[in-house]
Amino acid sequence: MENEEHQLGKPFKITNRSREIKKGVVAESLEDLTSKVRSKLNIEENENVTVVLEVDGTEIDDEEYFSTLDSNTSLMILTQSENWVPPSPPCRLNIDQVDDTKGGTELVGLVDRLKSNLCHLSLLGGAELELLSDMDPESLVDITFPDRIFLENLKEASGRYLVEKRQAQDAMDLLRLYQEKENDGGN
């Protein structure tokens, strides 16, 4: 089996810096890998390519180290001046936690919850978004949150989400009216 592996190469999982693209590649050598990666990820021949371990950013720059890698090792392909970045934590949403914010939880509790997981912002209702977009970051900085920039950005993002939610609701209402008009006209 190992002889077959050396003849055919080893399978590797490859990804780009943003981890949005994930592909599989079978390669016999580092040179073979970079050649196949250029094709799979549409990287120009004149563009520099760096291969690193996806898990910790260790650069793989010689055939000797490449040959020690296990099959199915996850590799990240970096181009030009890109640097390895650790994976960002997944956006885990706990619906029960978000539901808890509805029903009058104070602004401080809402901000605290969002500071621990910003993903909840997209699930908030209009009342919570309005509360956040109307908040005074200065008053919260004094109470519990020393990060004024976070509070200012949260206020701005909340305002944008609120506007988008209202626009989406208006569009849905208009569509509903149009559909009702169509249904009434067909009867």
Side-chain angles (χ1 to χ4, degrees):
M1 175 86 181
E2 205 167 297
N3 285 341
E4 276 182 40
E5 198 172 78
H6 285 304
Q7 290 174 352
L8 303 174
K10 289 189 231 178
F12 295 96
K13 298 173 185 175
I14 60 168
T15 188
N16 61 347
R17 182 179 182 270
S18 66
R19 294 176 173 85
E20 291 174 354
I21 298 173
K22 296 180 186 236
K23 302 220 178 205
V25 173
V26 175
E28 297 174 12
S29 65
L30 182 58
E31 185 179 331
D32 184 32
L33 177 86
T34 56
S35 172
K36 289 178 177 179
V37 161
R38 286 181 188 282
S39 172
K40 287 208 177 226
L41 299 179
N42 297 321
I43 300 172
E44 299 290 328
E45 282 296 321
N46 60 349
E47 202 168 356
N48 291 332
V49 172
T50 303
V51 179
V52 299
L53 293 177
E54 193 267 340
V55 68
D56 68 2
T58 301
E59 185 174 352
I60 301 158
D61 60 356
D62 63 41
E63 295 292 340
E64 185 179 350
Y65 183 69
F66 180 81
S67 67
T68 67
L69 298 176
D70 292 331
S71 293
N72 295 309
T73 297
S74 292
L75 304 173
M76 180 178 286
I77 309 305
L78 304 172
T79 58
Q80 303 298 57
S81 60
E82 290 180 331
N83 292 316
W84 176 85
V85 291
S88 56
C91 189
R92 292 192 181 102
L93 298 175
N94 181 337
I95 300 302
D96 294 335
Q97 261 188 325
V98 176
D99 287 344
D100 288 346
T101 64
K102 297 176 180 170
T105 302
E106 292 185 10
L107 181 61
V108 173
L110 184 58
V111 171
D112 190 37
R113 190 178 319 276
L114 290 170
K115 188 157 184 146
S116 67
N117 191 342
L118 273 174
C119 296
H120 292 174
L121 182 63
S122 63
L123 297 177
L124 294 178
E128 292 87 2
L129 290 171
E130 197 166 329
L131 185 64
L132 289 168
S133 65
D134 290 342
M135 76 174 162
D136 176 17
E138 289 295 322
S139 65
L140 287 179
V141 166
D142 295 338
I143 299 172
T144 55
F145 302 101
D147 191 350
R148 179 177 293 126
I149 293 171
F150 171 79
L151 292 171
E152 289 170 356
N153 287 331
L154 180 59
K155 177 179 177 155
E156 181 184 335
S158 299
R160 282 196 307 256
Y161 268 118
L162 183 60
V163 167
E164 290 172 10
K165 274 192 178 234
R166 287 179 177 161
Q167 288 174 343
Q169 187 60 51
D170 290 346
M172 293 297 289
D173 291 344
L174 186 60
L175 185 58
R176 193 174 303 112
L177 284 173
Y178 178 75
Q179 191 174 22
E180 286 172 6
K181 176 88 169 151
E182 287 289 313
N183 290 340
D184 289 343
N187 289 336

